[in-house]
Amino acid sequence: MVKESNRWMEASDVIPMFPSLVWKIQIEAGLRDALARSILAALADMWRGLPPLEAGRGSQSGQALHEREDFRDLVSCVRRGVTSILRFLRIGDAAFEITACWATVLAKGAAHKIHSHPNNFLSGVYYVCTPPGADAINFHDPRRQTAVIRPPVVELTADNTDQVVVKVRNGTLLMFPSFLEHSVDANLSEEERISVSFNVMFSSFTQQLSKPLW
């Protein structure tokens, strides 16, 4: 009979599997300021004559901002970021395109409910104006089965939470898998929160990438 001992392990390891990645890029100050001037001027022109947003209300532009000349520099940043991500993921020379790009403005008290962006590979947000109290985005655990059993925890950690809050600031560019659900809490600032969102998909998905792998 083996004598009982407090020492019972020879080795131990924790193996992380199947991560949901979010890429966070901070645009350098000069370009950030130039983007803000161009984007804010474009939005002011698009919404000229409309009344200011009331508290608790939000507004979205059309979804073709990436086709406008005044969004050219932002599109360039997005394309460079996507290229870097595909390289990081060891994805080959797959052509991609921005399928939609739109601006969102949230007045004081306005929020954005949990959602994802179907039928795309990557999605992202560029933050133009993020006053204190409106400078975060929430990402939610995509594994719905983890909500079936929720035992109490003595401390929230990255390994047991079902939500991660990412702080952002003016000039932050976030990109993430389009399936990853996210939300925005109510704007606690007196100022408007202004961001530009976009989706990215492989250009030749139906012609090449959608073919069976087995």
Side-chain angles (χ1 to χ4, degrees):
M1 180 181 233
V2 177
K3 184 178 179 180
E4 187 173 339
S5 170
N6 288 332
R7 182 178 179 182
W8 59 279
M9 287 190 296
E10 180 178 287
S12 175
D13 199 2
V14 176
I15 304 173
M17 294 186 180
F18 314 119
S20 296
L21 303 175
V22 175
W23 291 269
K24 185 177 183 181
I25 300 166
Q26 190 63 38
I27 302 299
E28 66 90 17
L31 179 54
R32 175 200 65 203
D33 294 342
L35 287 173
R37 288 191 296 269
S38 177
I39 292 171
L40 292 176
L43 296 181
D45 183 62
M46 281 187 281
W47 287 328
R48 190 180 307 279
L50 296 179
L53 283 177
E54 298 177 0
R57 302 297 298 271
S59 180
Q60 284 190 349
S61 72
Q63 297 183 339
L65 297 184
H66 56 296
E67 298 175 359
R68 294 175 58 106
E69 178 66 21
D70 37 21
F71 281 77
R72 179 186 60 186
D73 290 339
L74 178 58
V75 167
S76 177
C77 292
V78 170
R79 294 192 64 84
R80 293 169 72 174
V82 172
T83 299
S84 179
I85 289 170
L86 296 183
R87 188 179 303 121
F88 174 86
L89 294 173
R90 301 297 191 268
I91 292 175
D93 295 328
F96 63 87
E97 59 190 78
I98 298 174
T99 59
C101 179
W102 64 98
T104 301
V105 180
L106 299 181
K108 179 181 179 180
H112 205 165
K113 66 181 181 180
I114 185 171
H115 65 285
S116 61
H117 297 202
N119 298 331
N120 289 278
F121 182 68
L122 291 173
S123 295
V125 192
Y126 178 70
Y127 294 91
V128 184
C129 296
T130 56
D135 54 355
I137 180 173
N138 310 313
F139 289 98
H140 303 270
D141 191 340
R143 304 166 302 167
R144 292 190 179 275
Q145 67 273 18
T146 61
V148 175
I149 299 176
R150 296 296 304 274
V153 298
V154 297
E155 179 186 1
L156 277 176
T157 72
D159 299 312
N160 62 29
T161 187
D162 65 348
Q163 176 178 300
V164 175
V165 180
V166 176
K167 298 287 286 186
V168 298
R169 58 190 175 99
N170 294 358
T172 297
L173 175 63
L174 292 183
M175 284 187 266
F176 47 89
S178 295
F179 66 76
L180 190 59
E181 291 187 324
H182 48 286
S183 64
V184 178
D185 292 336
N187 180 1
L188 301 180
S189 171
E190 297 292 334
E191 302 175 44
E192 292 180 337
R193 176 186 187 275
I194 303 175
S195 60
V196 179
S197 300
F198 54 88
N199 292 328
V200 174
M201 187 54 178
F202 298 109
S203 302
S204 58
F205 181 77
T206 56
Q207 294 87 353
Q208 298 181 23
L209 298 181
S210 64
K211 299 184 184 307
L213 296 177
W214 53 84

Short mmCIF file of all heavy atoms in Angstrom, two decimals, residues 3 22-23 32 37 65 74 103 122 139 150 155 168:
data_model
loop_
_atom_site.label_atom_id
_atom_site.label_comp_id
_atom_site.label_asym_id
_atom_site.label_seq_id
_atom_site.Cartn_x
_atom_site.Cartn_y
_atom_site.Cartn_z
N LYS A 3 1.95 4.82 0.88
CA LYS A 3 1.72 5.68 2.03
C LYS A 3 1.15 7.03 1.57
O LYS A 3 1.65 7.65 0.65
CB LYS A 3 3.03 5.90 2.79
CG LYS A 3 2.85 6.71 4.06
CD LYS A 3 4.18 6.85 4.79
CE LYS A 3 4.00 7.67 6.04
NZ LYS A 3 5.29 7.83 6.78
N VAL A 22 -8.93 39.71 -29.47
CA VAL A 22 -9.27 41.08 -29.81
C VAL A 22 -7.96 41.83 -30.01
O VAL A 22 -7.08 41.81 -29.14
CB VAL A 22 -10.10 41.75 -28.70
CG1 VAL A 22 -10.34 43.22 -29.03
CG2 VAL A 22 -11.44 41.03 -28.52
N TRP A 23 -7.84 42.49 -31.15
CA TRP A 23 -6.63 43.23 -31.46
C TRP A 23 -6.87 44.72 -31.19
O TRP A 23 -7.86 45.29 -31.66
CB TRP A 23 -6.22 43.03 -32.92
CG TRP A 23 -5.74 41.65 -33.20
CD1 TRP A 23 -4.46 41.18 -33.15
CD2 TRP A 23 -6.54 40.51 -33.60
NE1 TRP A 23 -4.41 39.85 -33.48
CE2 TRP A 23 -5.67 39.41 -33.76
CE3 TRP A 23 -7.91 40.33 -33.83
CZ2 TRP A 23 -6.12 38.15 -34.14
CZ3 TRP A 23 -8.36 39.07 -34.21
CH2 TRP A 23 -7.45 38.00 -34.36
N ARG A 32 -4.27 60.43 -35.75
CA ARG A 32 -5.51 60.40 -34.96
C ARG A 32 -6.24 61.74 -35.07
O ARG A 32 -7.45 61.78 -35.30
CB ARG A 32 -5.17 60.11 -33.50
CG ARG A 32 -6.37 60.17 -32.55
CD ARG A 32 -5.89 60.36 -31.14
NE ARG A 32 -5.22 61.66 -30.97
CZ ARG A 32 -4.35 61.93 -30.02
NH1 ARG A 32 -3.98 61.00 -29.15
NH2 ARG A 32 -3.81 63.15 -29.93
N ARG A 37 -10.65 65.18 -37.43
CA ARG A 37 -11.12 66.35 -38.17
C ARG A 37 -11.91 65.93 -39.40
O ARG A 37 -12.99 66.48 -39.68
CB ARG A 37 -9.93 67.23 -38.59
CG ARG A 37 -9.28 67.99 -37.43
CD ARG A 37 -8.31 69.03 -37.95
NE ARG A 37 -7.19 68.43 -38.67
CZ ARG A 37 -6.05 68.08 -38.09
NH1 ARG A 37 -5.88 68.26 -36.78
NH2 ARG A 37 -5.06 67.56 -38.81
N LEU A 65 -19.67 54.24 -45.61
CA LEU A 65 -18.70 55.30 -45.36
C LEU A 65 -17.32 54.97 -45.95
O LEU A 65 -16.56 55.87 -46.29
CB LEU A 65 -18.55 55.56 -43.86
CG LEU A 65 -19.81 56.08 -43.14
CD1 LEU A 65 -19.48 56.39 -41.69
CD2 LEU A 65 -20.39 57.30 -43.84
N LEU A 74 -8.89 56.44 -42.89
CA LEU A 74 -9.33 55.43 -41.94
C LEU A 74 -9.37 54.05 -42.61
O LEU A 74 -8.94 53.05 -42.01
CB LEU A 74 -10.71 55.78 -41.38
CG LEU A 74 -11.30 54.74 -40.42
CD1 LEU A 74 -10.39 54.51 -39.22
CD2 LEU A 74 -12.70 55.17 -39.96
N ALA A 103 -21.00 55.04 -38.95
CA ALA A 103 -20.72 55.80 -37.73
C ALA A 103 -21.88 55.65 -36.75
O ALA A 103 -23.05 55.55 -37.16
CB ALA A 103 -20.51 57.28 -38.06
N LEU A 122 -14.11 39.41 -39.87
CA LEU A 122 -13.64 40.34 -38.84
C LEU A 122 -14.56 41.54 -38.76
O LEU A 122 -15.17 41.94 -39.77
CB LEU A 122 -12.22 40.82 -39.14
CG LEU A 122 -11.08 39.82 -39.03
CD1 LEU A 122 -9.79 40.44 -39.54
CD2 LEU A 122 -10.91 39.33 -37.59
N PHE A 139 -17.09 42.79 -24.12
CA PHE A 139 -17.10 41.58 -24.93
C PHE A 139 -17.63 40.43 -24.07
O PHE A 139 -17.27 40.30 -22.90
CB PHE A 139 -15.70 41.26 -25.45
CG PHE A 139 -15.23 42.22 -26.51
CD1 PHE A 139 -14.39 43.27 -26.19
CD2 PHE A 139 -15.65 42.06 -27.82
CE1 PHE A 139 -13.97 44.17 -27.16
CE2 PHE A 139 -15.22 42.96 -28.81
CZ PHE A 139 -14.39 44.01 -28.47
N ARG A 150 -23.51 28.10 -13.29
CA ARG A 150 -22.76 29.27 -12.87
C ARG A 150 -22.54 29.23 -11.36
O ARG A 150 -23.28 29.87 -10.60
CB ARG A 150 -23.50 30.55 -13.26
CG ARG A 150 -23.67 30.78 -14.76
CD ARG A 150 -22.32 30.96 -15.44
NE ARG A 150 -21.55 32.04 -14.86
CZ ARG A 150 -21.67 33.31 -15.21
NH1 ARG A 150 -22.54 33.66 -16.14
NH2 ARG A 150 -20.93 34.23 -14.63
N GLU A 155 -13.79 35.48 -6.39
CA GLU A 155 -13.11 36.59 -7.05
C GLU A 155 -13.24 36.43 -8.56
O GLU A 155 -13.04 35.34 -9.10
CB GLU A 155 -11.63 36.61 -6.67
CG GLU A 155 -10.84 37.71 -7.34
CD GLU A 155 -9.35 37.61 -7.04
OE1 GLU A 155 -8.94 36.68 -6.33
OE2 GLU A 155 -8.59 38.47 -7.53
N VAL A 168 -11.04 52.08 -23.97
CA VAL A 168 -10.58 52.68 -25.23
C VAL A 168 -10.40 54.17 -25.02
O VAL A 168 -10.82 54.74 -24.02
CB VAL A 168 -11.58 52.40 -26.37
CG1 VAL A 168 -11.71 50.91 -26.62
CG2 VAL A 168 -12.94 53.00 -26.05
#
